[in-house]
Amino acid sequence: MLDVKYIREHPDEVARALETRGGAESVQQLLGLDADRRRRVTAVEALKAERNKVTAEIAQAKRRGESPTEEMARMRTLGDEIKEMDAAISGVERGMEAILLQLPNLPHPSVPVGRAEDNQEVRRWGAPRQFPFDPKPHWEVGERLGILDFERAAKLAKSRFTVLWGAGARLERALAQFMLDLHTREHGYREVWVPHLVNAETMQGTGQLPKFEDQLFRTLEAEGGRPLYLIPTAEVPVTALHAGEILKEQELPKRYVAFTPCYRREAGAAGQDTRGMIRQHQFDKVELVKVTTPATSYDELEAMVGNAEEVLKRLELPYRVVLLATGDTGFASAKTYDLEVWLPGQGKYREISSCSNCEAFQARRAEIRYRPASGGKAEFAHTLNGSGLAVGRSLIAVLENCQEADGSVTIPPALRPYLDGLERITPGS
RNA sequence: GGAGGGGUGGCCGAGCGGUUGAAGGCGCCGGUCUUGAAAACCGGAAUCCCGCAAGGGAUCGGGGGUUCGAAUCCCUCCCCCUCCGCCA
């Protein structure tokens, strides 16, 4: 959520910044409501001041044993008037809120303006392996090994689900544990285990609601009409851990890592990545989340990208880092780097991580603040999140990059300790 | 699911119709003392909104109501705790 005060003071700048992000057209409407609201607030507060004054006088009079019935009657009508005006103000505020919740974050000045084709490649690591044979897509590799089973997954649920058998299931688990160990032991993150079902307020805090409800799985309504939603990423519950809290600057930055499944409707993705397990309704992810001060958040973003890159380096998987342009950057983010891993079966780089600095956008929605060490007033924190990494896509990357001519897959050495030293997946393993 | 108790400032906790934005404690900031620190003592500090300012308004889980006036009374919703039942 953006700061209304900031929009009021920099309307042109905000409208311009939102041009490639959407929502620029509602800035004027918002400012109109804002002006209306302030006019009404000023008026009603004058009446409230009057009521408070007279009420105190009535209290005095009562203490003297008098009964100022005239004043009391006057205050009764004044009270009704105030109630009406307050209701009108609430209406205006709801209108403002509705707009504010739909406005995306403002991009950082370093972000290229434009659409996806304006994304900038920042760096590459590792050279795609030269195959003496035609590398297969992961679904062929996996099905031949008997570790990926899309048919049975569709039988159990529907399309866009996968069953992992034997070494495939173990590989998924090994990848997750390898990543968790790396981030907790070497990168200074604290592991946290969180609910996979969260309420609407939590979803609103990180920006999933109200705008992206169609992307979420919602459970049947609980009593009182308060549904729970399956998390589309651990970013949601982990960022919200400190919702409504005032942290001490001394305890920042908070660095958390969580391993959770992620559930996504993938509405609107019909026809995209229908084969294989690139785009699933359910996938595992190791997620990194940071809560920092504004002064350090961009250093922390660079560090987080480096932490995610380290996973790929140790797995010896070639990748590139891409700085997303304004139009491709997510709703809540001010600046996002994607990590794209090389998939030889598809002959292209595919997203395997996305690291974002949301600045105060989520903190404002979820009321995550910190008290400066100097003891001043509480400020909104900055929140960051990044995949470190998407586990399912990591498994895909291993299958495609490490496949051999005979159909087996060589396990990257960094992963072998997590698989009892297993070096190779062969059919039937 | 049944019965009961409770949600107050950064935290703990008093208040149960009118000088209460809210006692007290802890923690925090500044000072005195000290070579330094601790202790002790003194002082300071809630958040948001409107306003150029002076100043004003709102906020005691959320919403609604009663009243001239609500943290205090009533209704409703949410959440937490205790005991019982059920259960991985």
Side-chain angles (χ1 to χ4, degrees):
Chain A
M1 190 154 63
L2 301 178
D3 182 3
V4 192
K5 208 181 298 173
Y6 187 86
I7 299 176
R8 188 155 71 214
E9 286 160 9
H10 311 83
D12 297 335
E13 180 200 318
V14 171
R16 211 177 317 117
L18 291 181
E19 259 165 36
T20 52
R21 307 224 52 199
E25 63 290 340
S26 47
V27 169
Q28 275 315 313
Q29 190 193 351
L30 178 72
L31 290 176
L33 291 173
D34 178 52
D36 185 30
R37 175 184 166 275
R38 284 185 294 155
R39 215 170 14 249
R40 291 172 186 271
V41 165
T42 305
V44 77
E45 284 186 355
L47 298 189
K48 285 181 180 176
E50 167 75 0
R51 178 176 66 182
N52 288 346
K53 193 180 118 225
V54 175
T55 284
E57 288 166 6
I58 291 172
Q60 292 285 328
K62 286 261 188 183
R63 230 168 282 145
R64 288 192 302 266
E66 301 164 13
S67 184
T69 48
E70 216 173 282
E71 301 299 276
M72 284 162 64
R74 214 178 99 228
M75 287 307 104
R76 197 195 323 265
T77 40
L78 186 66
D80 291 342
E81 235 178 291
I82 288 172
K83 197 172 293 181
E84 269 176 47
M85 292 169 79
D86 272 341
I89 289 169
S90 298
V92 175
E93 286 178 343
R94 273 194 299 275
M96 292 175 66
E97 171 109 334
I99 293 173
L100 277 170
L101 287 172
Q102 299 283 337
L103 290 181
N105 202 355
L106 301 179
H108 187 266
S110 64
V111 174
V113 176
R115 310 174 54 155
E117 54 267 29
D118 299 300
N119 292 349
Q120 289 175 4
E121 183 175 308
V122 177
R123 59 182 168 272
R124 286 187 188 211
W125 183 91
R129 177 178 153 204
Q130 296 303 309
F131 288 86
F133 58 94
D134 191 24
K136 303 286 187 291
H138 65 276
W139 55 87
E140 286 183 28
V141 177
E143 285 186 316
R144 203 183 324 169
L145 287 171
I147 60 175
L148 297 189
D149 187 343
F150 300 104
E151 271 183 42
R152 286 198 174 87
K155 176 174 74 179
L156 300 183
K158 53 179 284 196
S159 64
R160 292 199 196 284
F161 284 92
T162 307
V163 167
L164 298 176
W165 290 103
R170 289 185 75 195
L171 183 55
E172 176 85 3
R173 181 159 55 91
L175 281 163
Q177 191 148 353
F178 161 69
M179 294 176 198
L180 286 166
D181 283 348
L182 175 65
H183 296 311
T184 54
R185 291 174 182 166
E186 299 185 42
H187 294 156
Y189 292 82
R190 184 177 190 203
E191 188 170 349
V192 54
W193 187 90
V194 291
H196 301 166
L197 290 166
V198 300
N199 59 35
E201 293 80 71
T202 298
M203 282 293 181
Q204 183 171 302
T206 37
Q208 273 69 27
L209 289 179
K211 201 170 183 180
F212 305 104
E213 173 144 34
D214 63 348
Q215 296 296 332
L216 300 172
F217 286 106
R218 191 178 62 182
T219 62
L220 288 176
E221 297 196 352
E223 310 168 61
R226 291 170 52 81
L228 294 172
Y229 298 84
L230 276 74
I231 56 170
T233 159
E235 167 198 344
V236 174
V238 177
T239 303
L241 283 171
H242 295 298
E245 297 183 11
I246 299 179
L247 304 163
K248 293 177 181 161
E249 182 174 359
Q250 296 88 321
E251 57 187 351
L252 300 180
K254 298 279 194 188
R255 299 189 179 95
Y256 298 130
V257 57
F259 170 62
T260 72
C262 304
Y263 302 94
R264 300 186 180 180
R265 293 272 310 279
E266 294 297 345
Q272 284 180 54
D273 302 310
T274 48
R275 297 207 65 180
M277 55 181 290
I278 285 269
R279 191 174 300 276
Q280 302 275 284
H281 289 306
Q282 172 189 332
F283 63 95
D284 289 331
K285 186 153 59 70
V286 169
E287 181 79 356
L288 306 173
V289 169
K290 295 185 182 185
V291 181
T292 76
T293 62
T296 60
S297 67
Y298 278 95
D299 289 341
E300 292 291 343
L301 176 63
E302 297 299 325
M304 179 182 274
V305 174
N307 297 151
E309 287 181 70
E310 188 61 25
V311 175
L312 290 167
K313 286 178 179 168
R314 299 216 185 174
L315 295 176
E316 301 168 35
L317 297 170
Y319 68 88
R320 63 178 186 175
V321 180
V322 175
L323 171 58
L324 299 191
T326 52
D328 206 23
T329 300
F331 180 70
S333 175
K335 182 173 185 176
T336 298
Y337 290 103
D338 274 5
L339 265 52
E340 297 182 348
V341 70
W342 175 252
L343 291 185
Q346 303 196 11
K348 49 179 138 169
Y349 286 95
R350 293 299 307 259
E351 178 185 342
I352 197 166
S353 171
S354 193
C355 300
S356 301
N357 184 356
C358 298
E359 297 191 358
F361 187 85
Q362 295 177 326
R364 207 171 280 120
R365 288 177 165 236
E367 288 195 88
I368 304 167
R369 291 175 292 174
Y370 72 95
R371 180 148 344 257
S374 58
K377 60 179 241 177
E379 309 272 0
F380 287 115
H382 279 193
T383 62
L384 297 84
N385 64 81
S387 357
L389 309 163
V391 179
R393 288 192 180 178
S394 299
L395 185 143
I396 290 171
V398 169
L399 294 186
E400 294 201 6
N401 281 281
C402 307
Q403 60 181 295
E404 307 300 344
D406 64 0
S408 68
V409 168
T410 304
I411 304 291
L415 230 39
R416 293 177 190 168
Y418 295 92
L419 291 161
D420 290 327
L422 185 70
E423 292 178 15
R424 178 178 300 271
I425 302 177
T426 52
S429 59

